[in-house]
Each structure stands twice: as C-alpha cells, then as structure tokens.
Amino acid sequence: MITGHASHQVGLDADIWLTPMPNRQLSRDEREEMSAVMMVARRPARRRSERLDAEPSHRDSRRRAGTERATHLVNAAIKKALCREARGDRSWLSKVRPMYGHDYHFHIRIKCPPGSGECEGQPEPSASEGCKAGDLAYWFKDSVIHPKPPKAPLKPRPPMTLAQLPAACRQVLAAPDARQ
C-alpha cells in the first residue's frame, strides 16, 4: 500500500472489509468498484456524532474475527458488541483487540512463522477475553472519542525506502520477473 499502512509492508498484516457478502457472485468490475460499509452505528450526541456501538444488521458476521490464528484489531464499539453477544466458547475474544479507526474493516496481524529470525512478533493476547467494563473504558472516554486537535500540525513520517526494508524483502523485490 502506498498510503500509510506500514505494517502491511512485511506481509504479516492485512485488512478485511466487514462488508457482508451479497447473495450472488460479484462481477470483477463490481468487486473493484464496491466500497466498504460502516459497521459502527452513529448516534447523535450533543453537537457531534458518537460511534459507541456496532450496527445491528451486521453483527452476526463478526464472530469469525477471532477464530483464526491471528490477532484482529477492530473498532472498540465492535469489540463491545462482540463481548455482549458472544455465546458458548468465548476464548477467541482475547484475540480481538480494540484500536482506533477500524470501523469499516478489521485488521489481521498474523503471527511470525516459526524460525523466521528477522520477524518481530507481537505480545501474545492475554487469557482474559478483554470484555470487562474496565478493559474497554479507555476507548469510550470523551477525550478518546473526541480528541483535541494538536497545537501544531503533525509532521508526516518520511516514506519507507528500499534500504529500510528487511533483507528478505529486498531480495524479493530484486528477484527477476518470473513472467519474462
């Protein structure tokens, strides 16, 4: 991706839209042109709109988020809805973590493959499902939902250069084109 998403550059992260599948096969053009669907309900509050819960019409499609062998980052309102509605085995909820944004998609962070010395892993999820009121309270504070703008504009990060990529990534980019 050329616009941010630096964590996607190493191939261990991916974004998956939360858009429900239609009841028919999409054409190539439809797949390329369709947009993601907002999964977090907007609720009018004082003078601004707050996103504090997930859209009810899309909740049933989200349990899959924590069933794979990866960590999933979702909007805190989606995590709250998953916690509220999960039944039976809830252990998968520990792999679903709240994160800013992620209201149109969930972010998958795949574990480093065994024996990959250059891969920097992430902390294992705790055994807690992360659903207690205190676990999610931070994400619903007014200062988090409506942050104050910075006093000075933030300086954009410089783009990643080829020299900054891990050696294995540079090898892939330098490999001859298999189609030639």
Side-chain angles (χ1 to χ4, degrees), residues 103-124:
D103 37 15
Y104 291 88
H105 68 283
F106 65 91
H107 178 105
I108 298 175
R109 177 153 298 154
I110 302 164
K111 289 184 179 182
C112 290
S116 56
E118 291 185 32
C119 184
E120 293 179 24
Q122 61 181 351
E124 287 291 321

Side-chain angles (χ1 to χ4, degrees), residues 5 15-20 35-42 49-55 58 62 73-79 97-107 145:
H5 289 81
D15 287 339
I16 297 179
W17 285 2
L18 293 166
T19 305
S35 295
V37 174
M38 167 65 86
M39 297 296 285
V40 179
R42 289 195 180 272
S49 187
E50 293 182 353
R51 296 182 302 208
L52 302 177
D53 204 350
E55 289 286 357
H58 302 301
R62 290 190 305 261
L73 306 178
V74 298
N75 184 284
I78 293 173
K79 170 74 176 190
R97 298 178 181 173
M99 184 52 64
Y100 299 100
H102 298 91
D103 37 15
Y104 291 88
H105 68 283
F106 65 91
H107 178 105
I145 294 172

Side-chain angles (χ1 to χ4, degrees), residues 125-147:
S126 69
S128 164
E129 55 189 45
C131 292
K132 294 181 181 151
D135 296 334
L136 295 171
Y138 166 81
W139 298 98
F140 295 100
K141 290 179 9 184
D142 192 58
S143 60
V144 173
I145 294 172
H146 307 291

Side-chain angles (χ1 to χ4, degrees), residues 27-45:
S27 71
R28 181 183 177 102
D29 287 342
E30 287 174 314
R31 282 193 319 268
E32 295 299 322
E33 296 299 323
M34 81 185 296
S35 295
V37 174
M38 167 65 86
M39 297 296 285
V40 179
R42 289 195 180 272
R43 167 181 93 153

